[in-house]
Amino acid sequence: MSQNNPNSDSQNSETIPLQQTPGVEVSAEVEPAKAVTEKDVSLKEKKKPETNRRLVSLDAYRGFVMLAMASGGLAIASVVRNSPEVLDQYNGTQWESSWKTLWQTLSYQLSHVEWTGAGFWDLIQPSFMFMVGVSMPFSVRKRRQKGDSTFKIWMHAIFRAVLLVALGVFLSSQSGPQTNFTFANVLCQIGLGYLVVFFYVNRSFMTQMIGVVTILGGYWFFFYQYMPPEDELAAVKTYLKEVQHKDEAEWSQFSGIGSAWNKHTNAAAAVDRQLLNMFPRYDNPKDDPDQGDTFWVNNGGYQTLNFIPSIATMLFGLMAGQLLISNRLEKMKVKWLLQAGLICFGVSMLLDTSIWPVNINNWEWHLVPIVKRIWSPGWAIFSAGWAFWFLAVFYWIIDVKGYKKWAFPFVVVGMNSIAMYCMAQLIRPWIQKSLKIHLTTFDQATGWSVGGSLFSADCPYAPIAVSATVLFVLWLICLWMYLQRIFIKI
């Protein structure tokens, strides 16, 4: 989604206009050493941000995130899980250990962790939401320059928030017999928190930081103080055992203070059991026929209230966006982004030792467990650290050093991120089916085996090749839209 809503109006990134350097006349009486030459003036002007300059790095980072999301991890995790022979291909050779490590690492990084911790795949959604905040200052400035009033800007923000939630519910309902009222997907999460973040646009850093601390601190206390009623806890466990066929490991990830962030038994899960059962449902049938279809748990542990700490993720992005739109020197912007990321890592590691790269005996605590699936406050801080660093790298390489050509494949997607997101959700299966049909026809006409090889049931690597091909087709559609200057916005 284009960052901000997906695809915000921030297509034209701007910076704060500066006063032009006045022309300098050098009198003949001025000593040559003191004279201000045209070269000096030119060098000074190069250090200043260009007014209304497009920040290509924002489109590139957004496109990188959307391509990763649309790739589905290239099915690598499922290949490793379902075809263990892949790991054994080089058994008995000098490459055995390296080969297994490579595929196991790829599988871990391209799938969600079970509960606590993080891999690359877990960082896609927070990066996506972080860029929502980054885009907001640019979007507001563009509308101001167009002459929009504050009222009109707010009306557009309200419309965008409602549309995002509606689109999220629509996309979540593609595989069921009726509307699936779930609000844990990324579009709904952005829409639910959008107006709160919008309120903080162009406010001071201190005001924004107070907002972050208040939201995360309040949400932490909301979880910490919650004690599930005994009858509800017993009913949930019974459902998980008898219907889902799960054991105790499903809901007992932490003990002590960290137990407030266990799966299915936390405060946000309890809220969903009240909230989501207010809507018509067809999933999670309850044994009691008088109750009809009842929501018990989200199998992945994702909760509607995740949008509250997600607001902090978008606020971190908003801080970064206001930094980039400011008139600070470019190298100082990169420095601040890197420092912000480092601070986030330091704070999150103090809150939860499970994210530490090494285990230290007798050093273990989970004051704020880092759990992506329930967007714990620790996760909001930790993932923001990576988002700050990703943005710093893209900004430094593309907009500071000027290396832009390599980023074109990402920019094509980043400028139509809402289109890419919707296509990945709606037509990816259709593209795969169409490829199989037409490549089979092609093979029959030519005697070749393009489709036969790509969709071979005997080749364990075939799902990876199919996923990469489908992703390429999606990218080609975005390229065509880019060349036709078609940009879908909300």
Side-chain angles (χ1 to χ4, degrees), residues 280-414:
R281 309 212 63 81
Y282 62 89
D283 53 355
N284 291 322
K286 190 175 180 179
D287 290 338
D288 185 353
D290 295 331
Q291 293 288 337
D293 293 340
T294 302
F295 175 86
W296 279 103
V297 298
N298 179 295
N299 292 332
Y302 302 99
Q303 314 298 163
T304 300
L305 290 189
N306 286 5
F307 84 88
I308 296 176
S310 295
I311 291 173
T313 302
M314 292 186 281
L315 282 176
F316 283 128
L318 177 60
M319 296 175 189
Q322 291 189 184
L323 171 69
L324 294 179
I325 207 173
S326 72
N327 60 352
R328 292 177 182 271
L329 294 178
E330 291 174 334
K331 65 178 182 179
M332 293 304 298
K333 294 177 182 179
V334 174
K335 179 181 177 181
W336 277 103
L337 290 173
L338 293 175
Q339 289 178 338
L342 187 61
I343 292 172
C344 287
F345 291 140
V347 171
S348 58
M349 292 176 71
L350 287 175
L351 296 175
D352 184 14
T353 58
S354 67
I355 206 68
W356 288 17
V358 294
N359 294 323
I360 303 178
N361 291 335
N362 300 320
W363 283 60
E364 181 179 355
W365 58 82
H366 309 289
L367 301 177
V368 187
I370 294 176
V371 184
K372 186 260 182 185
R373 292 173 185 258
I374 53 174
W375 220 276
S376 66
W379 171 256
I381 298 171
F382 176 76
S383 59
W386 283 108
F388 276 120
W389 277 14
F390 281 138
L391 180 59
V393 171
F394 274 88
Y395 178 69
W396 180 74
I397 295 176
I398 296 174
D399 288 313
V400 177
K401 304 303 291 184
Y403 300 114
K404 300 180 180 181
K405 292 183 179 180
W406 69 274
F408 177 75
F410 298 137
V411 172
V412 166
V413 178

Side-chain angles (χ1 to χ4, degrees), residues 452-473:
S453 299
L454 186 62
F455 294 94
S456 172
D458 299 324
C459 177
Y461 303 102
I464 298 175
V466 171
S467 296
T469 304
V470 171
L471 180 65
F472 181 62
V473 172

Side-chain angles (χ1 to χ4, degrees), residues 21-42:
T21 304
V24 180
E25 295 183 4
V26 182
S27 169
E29 299 177 358
V30 179
E31 296 178 10
K34 300 289 182 70
V36 180
T37 66
E38 291 184 3
K39 182 178 181 180
D40 295 328
V41 175
S42 175

